[in-house]
Amino acid sequence: MSNAVIIKEAVKKYGDFVALKGVSLDIKEGEFFTLLGPSGCGKTTLLRMIAGFNSIEGGEFYFGDKLINTVPAHKRDIGMVFQNYAIFPHLTVEENVAYGLKARHVAAAEIGPRVKEALELVQIAHLSKRKPSELSGGQQQRVALARAFVIEPSVLLMDEPLSNLDAKLRVQMRTVIKKLQRKLGITTIYVTHDQEEALAISDRIAVMKDGVIMQCGTPQDIYAKPQNPFVAGFIGTSNFLDCTVASGGAVKVEGLDIQVPVAKDYTGPAKLSARPEQLFFADSGLPGEVLFSTFLGDFVEYEVQLADGQNLIVNEYTKDTTSVHAAGEKVFLNFDPTRISVYEAESEEVITC
């Protein structure tokens, strides 16, 4: 039976260093939830606290309505998939997958069918008699997944499980993981520093920095409406421009006047964030010069230098154009004011809807 995971004001300290600064999360039953952020942000620390591997200096952790702060790791009913797979080299594939069931004293007659089903789910039933040394990295990862799924845990925890795989295999395996999670409906908490991976597999994402959650939401919300410049810069690519805001959302940027929808009234210096696909070539706007272009199949990526020397990245989709702007060409850039984000210069709080 899958469980919701509720975290209230979690604090973790290492001496004088505070690794987690009052983190609160409400992870829904059956949800695929990702902790995303750069190295040192606290995401693995939080995962290990959920698992029971790290001590808790403050806050409360619940599986459903059960407080688990003092519950030992082996009694928390979790499945864990590690970065290094952590499968036993002296056991066969089927023995590795059966290990957790035997540790839980599952009846011997039940173990075989459950192991077979788990191996079929991850599509390696034909490798059941092999040792880990006879498997590829992707196959070893499937063994680790089967071993975690087979015990039918209340919560499944994954700590950067794809980081040791090559790029193509990472894409294949993240699809396998997401399909399995949806099929089995297990509450899953996944740690990664890979933004694309997080966007591709998650129901919701918590973006972390310095032990604090900067934004929590669906992949679509976080990408389209980043709540601060850190999230805008960390998730995907963003162009940042200094601007000023007058009452009612009138924005002046590099001499260009635009009107943006605002969630709160603010006047003063600000920072505008626009993703490459949110900029477009126009008959008027920000004057610039194309430095170079990169053809990437479905779109062309341009680097355009503005009059003040700042470079912007612009994506133009090939379905929308029949020509490519040449290096040295003088152009104008403009924005869709309903899609960009504007932040207060000092507080970095978002003011756009």
Side-chain angles (χ1 to χ4, degrees):
M1 180 63 181
S2 183
N3 269 328
V5 177
I6 300 166
I7 302 167
K8 298 180 178 179
E9 297 294 324
V11 175
K12 178 63 186 172
K13 298 178 181 179
Y14 296 100
D16 294 331
F17 174 69
V18 183
L20 290 178
K21 305 169 183 176
V23 169
S24 295
L25 286 171
D26 191 343
I27 300 168
K28 302 170 187 174
E29 183 176 338
E31 185 172 31
F32 197 120
F33 191 94
T34 296
L35 302 172
L36 172 68
S39 297
C41 72
K43 57 189 186 294
T44 295
T45 296
L46 181 58
L47 191 80
R48 292 179 63 83
M49 291 169 78
I50 297 169
F53 301 155
N54 281 352
S55 61
I56 299 171
E57 275 68 57
E60 297 176 337
F61 289 71
Y62 293 87
F63 283 2
D65 57 2
K66 181 182 179 182
L67 181 68
I68 62 163
N69 284 44
T70 59
V71 176
H74 68 280
K75 293 186 177 180
R76 292 196 181 188
D77 193 23
I78 61 167
M80 189 87 187
V81 182
F82 297 93
Q83 182 176 345
N84 63 355
Y85 316 144
I87 54 180
F88 301 114
H90 63 290
L91 300 181
T92 65
V93 167
E94 63 182 4
E95 288 169 342
N96 264 283
V97 176
Y99 183 86
L101 295 173
K102 292 179 179 178
R104 292 181 175 220
H105 306 294
V106 173
E110 190 180 339
I111 290 176
R114 285 177 63 173
V115 168
K116 181 181 178 183
E117 181 184 17
L119 293 177
E120 287 173 349
L121 275 173
V122 296
Q123 300 178 337
I124 55 169
H126 61 293
L127 304 175
S128 63
K129 303 299 183 182
R130 291 192 185 182
K131 295 285 185 68
S133 60
E134 301 174 279
L135 305 176
S136 68
Q139 290 167 340
Q140 289 183 38
Q141 185 57 274
R142 288 172 188 256
V143 175
L145 286 170
R147 188 179 59 185
F149 280 122
V150 76
I151 61 174
E152 299 177 0
S154 296
V155 178
L156 179 63
L157 307 177
M158 298 191 182
D159 187 9
E160 307 228 26
L162 306 183
S163 60
N164 290 333
L165 304 179
D166 63 55
K168 185 176 181 180
L169 194 52
R170 280 202 304 272
V171 172
Q172 293 174 351
M173 286 305 301
R174 76 189 187 200
T175 302
V176 168
I177 288 172
K178 182 59 180 175
K179 286 181 177 179
L180 280 170
Q181 191 272 339
R182 282 187 175 170
K183 181 180 180 68
L184 300 173
I186 298 175
T187 304
T188 300
I189 304 174
Y190 189 98
V191 162
T192 185
H193 64 273
D194 187 315
Q195 304 96 317
E196 182 181 300
E197 189 173 290
L199 292 172
I201 63 177
S202 310
D203 294 321
R204 283 193 301 151
I205 300 169
V207 183
M208 298 183 67
K209 177 189 177 188
D210 298 334
V212 175
I213 293 177
M214 304 299 288
Q215 185 174 349
C216 183
T218 65
Q220 295 86 349
D221 287 342
I222 285 177
Y223 185 84
K225 297 293 181 182
Q227 293 299 296
N228 51 68
F230 173 79
V231 174
F234 187 75
I235 301 288
T237 301
S238 287
N239 299 289
F240 293 100
L241 290 162
D242 292 331
C243 61
T244 56
V245 181
S247 182
V251 174
K252 183 180 287 292
V253 52
E254 296 290 327
L256 175 66
D257 294 315
I258 56 176
Q259 186 74 34
V260 300
V262 291
K264 66 175 183 177
D265 207 20
Y266 168 79
T267 59
K271 188 180 292 289
L272 180 153
S273 166
R275 298 202 180 276
E277 69 273 16
Q278 294 168 349
L279 286 161
F280 58 88
F281 296 104
D283 295 330
S284 62
L286 303 178
E289 179 181 332
V290 175
L291 295 183
F292 63 87
S293 62
T294 305
F295 180 74
L296 295 169
D298 57 342
F299 69 93
V300 181
E301 181 181 274
Y302 294 96
E303 186 169 341
V304 178
Q305 188 172 71
L306 302 183
D308 65 357
Q310 182 175 354
N311 292 355
L312 302 183
I313 303 299
V314 184
N315 289 349
E316 186 173 50
Y317 288 87
T318 49
K319 69 180 180 60
D320 299 326
T321 183
T322 57
S323 61
V324 175
H325 297 281
E329 184 178 341
K330 303 297 184 182
V331 294
F332 290 98
L333 298 178
N334 216 316
F335 312 90
D336 178 348
T338 65
R339 298 180 66 198
I340 61 175
S341 298
V342 179
Y343 310 97
E344 294 181 19
E346 187 171 345
S347 71
E348 297 192 337
E349 292 183 8
V350 67
I351 66 170
T352 41
C353 297

